[in-house]
Amino acid sequence: MSDNNKTAAASAMWGGRFAGGPAAIMQRINASIDFDKRLYAQDIRGSKAHCRMLVRQAILTPEDGDAILAGLDTVLAEIEAGSFPFSAELEDIHMNVESRLAELIGEAAGRLHTARSRNDQVATDFRLWVRDAIDGMDAALKDLTEALLDRADQHAATVMPGFTHLQAAQPVTFGHHMMAYVEMIGRDRSRLTDARKRLNESPLGSAALAGTSFPTDRHFTAAELGFDRPMRNSLDGVSDRDFALEFMSASAICAVHLSRLAEELVIWTSAQFRFVRLSDGFTTGSSIMPQKRNPDAAELVRAKTGRVIGDLTALLIVMKGLPLAYSKDMQDDKEPVFEAADTMELAIAAMTGMIRDLTVNTDVLRAAAGAGFTTATDIADWCVRALRMPFRRAHHVAGSLVKLAEDKGVGLEDLSLAEMQAIEPGITDEARAVLTVDSSVASRTSFGGTAPIRVREAVAAARALLGGQAP
């Protein structure tokens, strides 16, 4: 584009106040088309709703309205076909669309911007995009939940060690462990749902910051775009980015959950644990060590959490010092949101694939479930129930039994009755029966407990909720 054409483009955007075009460095820092062209579908959708409202309110003639709508359809088709000539000189997606529309239909294109500003236009586009991103992420998280539920159902009675401080604590079931992540992902989906509800108000019609003198119908455009209502304050309408922050905050928390599960997969697939095995589709080898099977997909999910947290922090810092209403700083609101959404899409898909494909080494889990005296609490509980012993004393008895077994280099279940009675005379063979990992998990029948019957109930209730039924 020649300097004269650049000047013309600048004048078309900014009006008669500017005689010359921007400096080259200003064009580079000011242009956002390289990333905000992702808003093209939302921008065209918002423009069509605005056009229909202008015609309905007799602000535009039906003939101009028809020409604009047809032209916008042509622009949309060109972008989707990959033939649209995006221009950095036109700064952003809004002016690129408007400029092409003018080439297609002439002067009528200039009437589309009546009673709106790029400020409320971008705020509307961005809300529509984030709303779509929320819907997409929610669907992906539903798929992950279904994968976790399938595993939980399959392994409702598969015993494994439960950990605190990454030390063997008490036996649990693999299904119970998977259901913990079902709960986490459920909260993630709930946060997204809440964010979507607050997001679903339309800023369109707020104009630059003060509203408009034209007789617009903001309730009409809000309904056309699937919003619940128009935003109540025009200043807030153009300057609010809470919806983006909430989306990214929910994404960051979800990413932390994915990272925790990824960390467990990294640990569980190690030669020292061997709890699970990931398929070839989600592991890689080593360039020098032929025996290696590296859990790279899990490690990358774990790493990408930092990106999402960083994106949230970046936008919080952009927004923290801005006076009302719009400032150009807010042009930098989109890249972190786009990156966070892309990262989450990839991470959730990878995690879903890993959960569906992994092999659970049930024998290894069973052997590990009893290691480290994990049923010590069961003998303490038995003393409380059968001998009416205060729990603190029962805890001491169980600890003494653990020390004896540890000194002898055997498990609690390998101690003889006589050895146990030497520490507590009231212990009977009935107490020895509670020391198996199966009896331990089967006894944990409290609501939310690890007993297989409770795990299966939890799976059934979660499936009902997933299907939109009352549990």
Side-chain angles (χ1 to χ4, degrees), residues 155 157-161 171-174 362 364-367 369 437-438 441:
H155 293 284
T158 299
V159 291
M160 68 172 289
V172 296
T173 67
F174 191 83
T362 56
V364 175
L365 286 173
R366 172 172 288 277
V437 292
D438 289 305
V441 296

Side-chain angles (χ1 to χ4, degrees), residues 3-263:
D3 288 341
N4 288 337
N5 286 337
K6 290 176 182 177
T7 300
S11 297
M13 284 187 282
W14 303 330
R17 185 172 182 274
F18 292 85
I25 192 65
M26 179 59 187
Q27 284 189 326
R28 287 179 59 193
I29 197 172
N30 196 45
S32 59
I33 189 60
D34 285 347
F35 56 85
D36 72 13
K37 61 186 176 184
R38 292 181 64 162
L39 299 173
Y40 75 88
Q42 291 79 16
D43 189 72
I44 291 172
R45 184 181 175 192
S47 289
K48 291 173 77 172
H50 185 66
C51 176
R52 284 190 287 266
M53 181 275 295
L54 293 176
V55 171
R56 189 170 181 265
Q57 296 299 107
I59 299 170
L60 274 188
T61 65
E63 293 75 19
D64 281 345
D66 289 343
I68 289 169
L69 293 175
L72 288 171
D73 284 338
T74 299
V75 173
L76 179 62
E78 289 178 351
I79 296 174
E80 291 180 340
S83 61
F84 186 88
F86 289 109
S87 168
E89 283 78 12
L90 293 170
E91 291 188 13
D92 56 29
I93 185 61
H94 323 298
M95 294 311 302
N96 269 265
V97 169
E98 184 174 322
S99 176
R100 179 60 180 148
L101 184 64
E103 291 175 356
L104 291 169
I105 68 170
E107 187 178 69
R111 295 191 171 93
L112 174 59
H113 210 53
T114 305
R116 76 173 182 185
S117 161
R118 277 197 295 178
N119 294 353
D120 63 333
Q121 187 177 358
V122 68
T124 303
D125 295 355
F126 200 18
R127 277 179 184 261
L128 290 171
W129 193 94
V130 171
R131 190 175 70 185
D132 290 342
I134 287 174
D135 292 344
M137 187 183 297
D138 183 69
L141 289 174
K142 183 178 180 182
D143 289 343
L144 175 56
T145 302
E146 289 172 345
L148 290 165
L149 286 172
D150 288 344
R151 286 300 185 185
D153 202 12
Q154 181 183 4
H155 293 284
T158 299
V159 291
M160 68 172 289
F163 297 92
T164 61
H165 308 277
L166 202 56
Q167 304 294 311
Q170 291 179 281
V172 296
T173 67
F174 191 83
H176 191 57
H177 203 108
M178 292 294 98
M179 288 304 295
Y181 285 101
V182 168
E183 293 296 317
M184 294 183 202
I185 301 303
R187 292 193 295 273
D188 292 326
R189 295 185 68 203
S190 177
R191 274 183 281 272
L192 288 171
T193 298
D194 289 345
R196 194 187 193 282
K197 287 178 183 176
R198 277 183 290 277
L199 170 154
N200 210 36
E201 296 183 342
S202 174
L204 189 57
S206 298
L209 75 164
T212 178
S213 60
F214 290 93
T216 57
D217 186 346
R218 294 188 61 212
H219 289 84
F220 175 83
T221 51
E224 283 282 289
L225 295 171
F227 289 114
D228 294 328
R229 64 191 67 85
M231 296 182 73
R232 290 182 290 270
N233 183 282
S234 59
L235 285 167
D236 186 47
V238 299
S239 64
D240 170 56
R241 292 300 184 269
D242 289 0
F243 64 93
L245 290 169
E246 281 200 70
F247 168 65
M248 294 172 69
S249 178
S251 296
I253 295 171
C254 181
V256 168
H257 293 155
L258 296 179
S259 184
R260 295 182 72 180
L261 181 51
E263 170 71 1

Side-chain angles (χ1 to χ4, degrees), residues 247-433:
F247 168 65
M248 294 172 69
S249 178
S251 296
I253 295 171
C254 181
V256 168
H257 293 155
L258 296 179
S259 184
R260 295 182 72 180
L261 181 51
E263 170 71 1
E264 297 208 288
L265 292 177
V266 170
I267 294 170
W268 291 352
T269 55
S270 68
Q272 289 71 28
F273 275 75
R274 296 186 299 112
F275 285 2
V276 301
R277 179 184 174 91
L278 291 175
S279 71
D280 291 348
F282 293 95
T283 55
T284 65
S286 165
S287 64
I288 188 172
M289 295 168 286
Q291 84 282 7
K292 293 295 292 297
R293 176 188 287 269
N294 298 322
D296 282 7
E299 291 172 352
L300 288 166
V301 168
R302 187 176 59 183
K304 289 183 182 300
T305 298
R307 282 181 174 270
V308 180
I309 294 170
D311 290 330
L312 169 60
T313 302
L315 185 53
L316 284 167
I317 292 171
V318 166
M319 296 302 299
K320 72 174 181 62
L322 299 187
L324 295 179
Y326 179 84
S327 297
K328 195 68 171 183
D329 311 51
M330 292 164 72
Q331 180 168 287
D332 271 14
D333 58 1
K334 295 164 202 68
E335 285 181 289
V337 174
F338 292 160
E339 182 182 54
D342 290 346
T343 302
M344 291 302 296
E345 180 182 15
L346 186 58
I348 295 168
M351 185 57 70
T352 303
M354 284 187 283
I355 294 299
R356 289 201 185 282
D357 284 3
L358 64 82
T359 299
V360 179
N361 298 325
T362 56
D363 291 342
V364 175
L365 286 173
R366 172 172 288 277
F373 311 106
T374 58
T375 57
T377 304
D378 294 276
I379 191 68
D381 288 347
W382 182 89
C383 289
V384 171
R385 284 195 307 270
L387 304 181
R388 303 295 181 185
M389 191 181 291
F391 182 80
R392 287 302 170 201
R393 183 181 163 200
H395 185 282
H396 180 77
V397 168
S400 298
L401 291 170
V402 168
K403 185 177 186 307
L404 176 61
E406 195 170 36
D407 290 343
K408 291 173 67 66
V410 299
L412 279 174
E413 67 279 8
D414 298 318
L415 293 175
S416 68
L417 181 59
E419 288 171 327
M420 298 179 83
Q421 287 178 335
I423 291 174
E424 171 49 56
I427 291 177
T428 68
D429 276 328
E430 179 187 303
R432 293 166 58 82

